[in-house]
Amino acid sequence: MIGRWLAISMVVKKDDYIEISREGAIEYRDKLKNDYLYVEFEVPEGIKYIEVSYSFSREKGCIIDIGIIDSKGRFRGWSGSSKKNFFISREKATPGYIEGEIDPGNWIVILGLAKIPENEICKYTVRICMSRKISRDADIRNSTEFRSYIKNNSAKEKNANTSHRLRWIKGDLHTHTIHSDGRNTIYDLIYKAVEKGLEYVAITDHNTTSTSLEIKRLEERGDIIPVKILPGIEITTYYGHMNVWGGEWFDFRLRTREDFISIIREVHRRNLAISINHPVRGIVDCIGCDFLFRDIRGFDALEVWNGPWFAGNSNALEWWHDILCERYRVSAVGGSDYHGNRESPVDLGIPTTYIYADIDSIESIIEAIKEGRTFVTATPSGPVINPIVYYNGNAYTIGDIVKIDSTRKTPLVSDIEVIGASGYTLRLIGSSGVIKAIKIDDHRFNYRGEIIIDPENDPFVRFEIGEYSDPFSLKLKNSDIISVITSPIYIEPNIKNASL
């Protein structure tokens, strides 16, 4: 039994008001059995408003997350430990939670046992207030200011969203808003994306799709948005975090290796793309940030670059390179993980991910991520790279598959254009290591040369730009700085289908 010390269960009823209080305590051995504790309560007929507040022994190092499921088994929101209270009514809800009918029956408050220290008892209190009257409005910004801003920036919107064709688009694949633990509203994020010169921004709040529902309302209302909003979710577990783009909800209550395999399969069943986020060893104060099950394959992408480069990303880059050497097709993506914290070095668009897609089509963007038509660069202003290789009269670029039909070592002719990286080093990298390292000596730089491919042993060639203490070593030092990482050009028949 989880939370064996259920000390108090109190109910107060008035004419239009019901208050329920639950108190209990949790030990470390409880978390070893289950990561979640479920507090059930009965909602009678006629309830129009539910508010939940809670507290726990934070001073003892305890961290308890919170969310809620309604009487029909629908997940109605999650806020981790970033909010002390939330409300749901038919018309409105706290960001992170989903408004709608308050159906009578058995509702469940979910308590996530994020951190339960050994040798401590974590006490908690949950207070549930229900009313047959609407108590207050949601904290959602009025759209008047936003509409005025859009009207003044409509030219930018037209330039960004009328191409209807494939091209390289730049943006940020990993951000957060007030719908989880971020400080920005969706409007704030759009303002900043425009200022940064981004063409798209993915909003990937933790374990909730309330963001996607608000975006949908903006679109249905006819608001003109000057950047493409890519709805998503960060499936945030205590054993790893994963981004899925497309705006659909997935159950985050994963614990075992089989659970993670199952969620990857479910993402693919829905024709979406899944990425492993910030798989960096030893991130301080980030519960579950490192991906525990590193033997699992089948994910479409790996976040090789999260936030500023110096924040331990070399470990993620090394793991990704090892996966490529296993002959799996896994795309390189990056994301700022921007939360709007002014005291943090994390900023929107640092790094920026370029995707070769139709900006008007979410399906096109997702498919491009799955196919590896991506490269990650340090800032929205670059550097940028355009690598092309030629074989048997055909041209190939990032994400393409070169079909080698020779049994001998085969030369590919490379033609690589780089802009904005003067003084850096361009590296051509294969499974055996750095093939070539070329010093970039101009703002607009071109390199043309041969890449020798062993058709039996070389599954890919990829490209990097950076400052290296040893340009021919894949083992990066702390002083090394990466500016560009591309997804590979793949060599057939030496690649595997990563799907589970």
Side-chain angles (χ1 to χ4, degrees), residues 168-174 196-200 302-310 313 317 320 332-337 347-355 373-387 398 417-422 424-426 440 443 463-466 468 481-487:
W168 286 105
I169 58 174
K170 61 179 177 178
D172 195 327
L173 281 173
H174 189 168
K196 290 280 189 177
L198 300 179
E199 296 173 276
Y200 75 86
L302 195 145
E303 193 177 60
V304 299
W305 193 338
N306 175 279
W309 175 257
F310 59 79
N313 286 288
L317 180 59
W320 176 63
V333 297
S336 66
D337 209 348
D347 198 3
L348 187 68
I350 309 294
T352 293
T353 300
Y354 275 78
I355 304 173
R373 304 192 184 281
T374 62
F375 71 87
V376 189
T377 187
T379 72
S381 57
V384 295
I385 187 170
N386 181 28
I398 298 168
E417 180 184 27
V418 177
I419 300 174
S422 181
Y424 293 110
T425 298
L426 167 66
I440 301 171
H443 174 76
F463 308 89
E464 269 184 21
I465 297 173
Y468 307 97
I481 299 174
I482 298 294
S483 295
V484 172
I485 302 169
T486 77
S487 286

Side-chain angles (χ1 to χ4, degrees), residues 37-57:
L37 169 65
Y38 298 95
V39 178
E40 300 183 11
F41 65 99
E42 192 70 21
V43 175
E45 292 278 357
I47 294 297
K48 297 180 179 179
Y49 175 90
I50 295 176
E51 182 166 0
V52 178
S53 60
Y54 82 123
S55 61
F56 53 87
S57 307

Side-chain angles (χ1 to χ4, degrees), residues 60 75 128 239 272 291 365 381 452 460 482 499:
K60 293 186 176 181
F75 185 82
I128 302 158
Y239 309 98
L272 301 177
F291 191 73
I365 295 171
S381 57
I452 304 300
F460 68 91
I482 298 294
S499 297

